[in-house]
């Protein structure tokens, strides 16, 4: 049976509201304060200390890339887009920053708490997926390196013996098979470079 995700305690969290002075900011601030968050509003850009924020609300209507101290889509915290205009270009821009939740303007007396929870869960799921993808890519790269090392050691002979030799080298060097494979590949590349340099010198002679 799958357990439902536990509702986090948001008291004491810090939220930045990147929006021009507007009743929207006041409405969000009231709700955040009632939940127990520390709120800071700013415009036209986020200050450096926003990098340590737990949440960022941003205006999707008048926003631009230079407002953020990170590249689009690389925010280190959950983002909530404040959307008043449904112009395709504005929606596309908000999506480019990978907003984790949204609030439609004008903001009333409710909606902020659910936006916070949705944004937090979406952000954590995205981080987990990115971590899994990075891990899979690393594993694929390591396997490719092992194949290259085995090929270099085999030199056209039995791959099984070459892999056994690689494992033996790893044990003698007291490193992992992957590290040993990287070392073999690097040594092979250096030897190939040295041979090419020798050939060039003989041609020049």
């Amino acid at each position: 049976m799958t357990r439902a995700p536990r509702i986090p305690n948001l008291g004491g969290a810090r939220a930045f509201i990147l929006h021009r002075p507007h009743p929207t900011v006041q409405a969000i601030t009231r709700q955040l304060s009632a939940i127990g968050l520390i709120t800071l509003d700013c415009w036209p850009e986020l200050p450096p200390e926003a990098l340590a924020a737990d949440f960022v609300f941003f205006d999707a209507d008048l926003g631009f890339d230079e407002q953020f101290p990170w590249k689009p889509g690389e925010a280190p915290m959950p983002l909530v887009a404040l959307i008043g205009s449904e112009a395709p270009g504005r929606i596309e821009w908000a999506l480019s920053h990978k907003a984790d939740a949204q609030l439609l303007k004008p903001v009333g007396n409710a909606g902020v708490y659910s936006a916070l929870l949705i944004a937090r869960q979406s952000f954590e799921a995205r981080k987990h997926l990115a971590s899994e993808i990075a891990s899979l890519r690393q594993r694929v790269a390591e396997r490719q390196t092992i194949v290259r090392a085995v090929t270099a050691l085999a030199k056209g002979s039995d791959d099984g013996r070459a892999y056994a030799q690689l494992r033996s080298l790893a044990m003698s060097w007291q490193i992992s098979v992957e590290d040993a494979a990287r070392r073999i590949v690097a040594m092979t590349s250096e030897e190939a470079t040295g041979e090419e340099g020798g050939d060039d010198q003989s041609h020049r002679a």
Side-chain angles (χ1 to χ4, degrees), residues 13-157:
R14 284 161 51 90
F16 278 76
I17 305 174
L18 181 60
H19 197 289
R20 66 196 185 283
H22 192 273
T24 291
V25 177
Q26 300 168 15
I28 295 173
T29 299
R30 281 196 301 269
Q31 294 185 55
L32 290 174
S33 298
I35 298 168
L37 276 76
I38 301 168
T39 307
L40 301 98
D41 58 273
C42 51
W43 188 261
E45 60 186 27
L46 287 170
E49 55 266 28
L51 289 168
D54 298 291
F55 297 92
V56 168
F57 293 74
F58 69 95
D59 183 13
D61 298 335
L62 298 177
F64 51 93
D65 292 344
E66 290 74 19
Q67 289 181 300
F68 303 95
W70 53 73
K71 295 179 181 179
E74 298 182 6
M77 77 289 290
L79 299 181
V80 179
L82 303 171
I83 300 175
S85 168
E86 293 188 329
R90 288 286 83 194
I91 301 298
E92 184 178 354
W93 179 80
L95 290 173
S96 74
H97 281 271
K98 291 184 169 54
D100 300 292
Q102 68 177 40
L103 273 175
L104 295 180
K105 297 187 289 184
V107 177
N109 296 321
V112 167
Y113 184 60
S114 59
L116 288 174
L117 297 182
I118 292 170
R120 171 71 67 84
Q121 184 170 342
S122 176
F123 177 76
E124 293 298 334
R126 187 155 48 85
K127 274 179 47 179
H128 180 69
L129 179 60
S131 177
E132 285 189 340
I133 291 174
S135 177
L136 287 172
R137 286 176 175 170
Q138 178 64 26
R139 287 167 60 185
V140 169
E142 288 177 348
R143 289 181 181 180
Q144 291 175 342
T145 302
I146 289 173
V147 169
R148 290 176 61 191
V150 168
T151 301
L153 291 171
K155 295 180 180 179
S157 61

Side-chain angles (χ1 to χ4, degrees), residues 128-191:
H128 180 69
L129 179 60
S131 177
E132 285 189 340
I133 291 174
S135 177
L136 287 172
R137 286 176 175 170
Q138 178 64 26
R139 287 167 60 185
V140 169
E142 288 177 348
R143 289 181 181 180
Q144 291 175 342
T145 302
I146 289 173
V147 169
R148 290 176 61 191
V150 168
T151 301
L153 291 171
K155 295 180 180 179
S157 61
D158 183 64
D159 286 347
R161 289 184 179 180
Y163 182 70
Q165 183 183 358
L166 176 62
R167 293 186 63 184
S168 178
L169 288 170
M171 292 178 63
S172 64
W173 292 337
Q174 296 183 346
I175 57 178
S176 67
V177 172
E178 292 79 10
D179 287 340
R182 281 190 285 270
R183 185 177 294 185
I184 293 297
V185 170
M187 292 168 59
T188 304
S189 299
E190 289 176 359
E191 290 176 0

Side-chain angles (χ1 to χ4, degrees), residues 195-205:
E195 290 176 1
E196 291 176 0
D199 291 341
D200 290 342
Q201 289 178 3
S202 63
H203 288 314
R204 286 195 296 269

